[in-house]
Amino acid sequence: MNRIQTLLNLAKEELYAAEILWENTLYRACISRAYYALYYTVQALLAAKNVNTRTHRGLIQQFGQQFIKTGELSQNLSRTLSETLDLRQLSDYDETIPITQQQAGKTLENAKLFISEATKWLENNQIQ
């Protein structure tokens, strides 16, 4: 199995975990796992272009440069990635911020759409 497929498998595993957590009303953990599903997906996309990053912000920056500025993927995906990282950081590091079912549900749905679009890009470019 190549690196891209390994990363996509990790993304799907994280997404599945996020779904289970949401169903069990563990919204903070759901958001965290949904973010990591996106994280692994973006790593797979960047690996397709032989780009590596060291930080989460670097991942977002490279995603923007490699896929959004080129018009290969929608600006909405960039927004989803940034917003999900911000919400994950709040849910992981600020226990005073309440995380709602609605926030977690929207994050989960956005992650599903993100992964679907990324997978289509990889398939259309015959990468996997």
Side-chain angles (χ1 to χ4, degrees):
M1 183 179 311
N2 68 31
R3 182 166 189 263
I4 294 169
Q5 192 56 54
T6 298
L7 290 165
L8 289 176
N9 287 343
L10 287 170
K12 290 174 186 173
E13 183 178 309
E14 294 290 356
L15 186 63
Y16 179 66
E19 290 173 330
I20 291 170
L21 292 163
W22 188 82
E23 290 168 3
N24 287 282
T25 69
L26 299 167
Y27 303 130
R28 287 178 181 280
C30 169
I31 287 170
S32 183
R33 294 305 91 201
Y35 168 73
Y36 278 100
L38 298 182
Y39 175 82
Y40 288 125
T41 302
V42 174
Q43 279 194 327
L45 288 168
L46 292 174
K49 292 191 173 192
N50 295 313
V51 174
N52 294 307
T53 62
R54 294 185 193 162
T55 66
H56 292 269
R57 292 288 174 199
L59 180 104
I60 290 171
Q61 180 185 23
Q62 284 300 314
F63 176 68
Q65 288 181 350
Q66 300 292 326
F67 292 95
I68 306 306
K69 286 186 179 180
T70 63
E72 294 176 64
L73 291 171
S74 165
Q75 177 72 34
N76 290 337
L77 297 181
S78 180
R79 206 168 308 122
T80 293
L81 181 60
S82 292
E83 288 173 0
T84 303
L85 172 59
D86 291 344
L87 191 54
R88 184 205 57 99
Q89 288 178 322
L90 281 175
S91 68
D92 282 355
Y93 301 115
D94 190 345
E95 69 281 352
T96 64
I97 302 292
I99 301 298
T100 67
Q101 178 184 17
Q102 182 180 4
Q103 286 173 304
K106 182 175 175 152
T107 300
L108 184 57
E109 288 307 310
N110 287 342
K112 289 177 185 178
L113 291 171
F114 189 106
I115 292 168
S116 175
E117 289 300 312
T119 302
K120 285 179 194 171
W121 184 91
L122 289 164
E123 289 170 356
N124 290 341
N125 289 279
Q126 300 178 342
I127 301 169
Q128 284 191 1

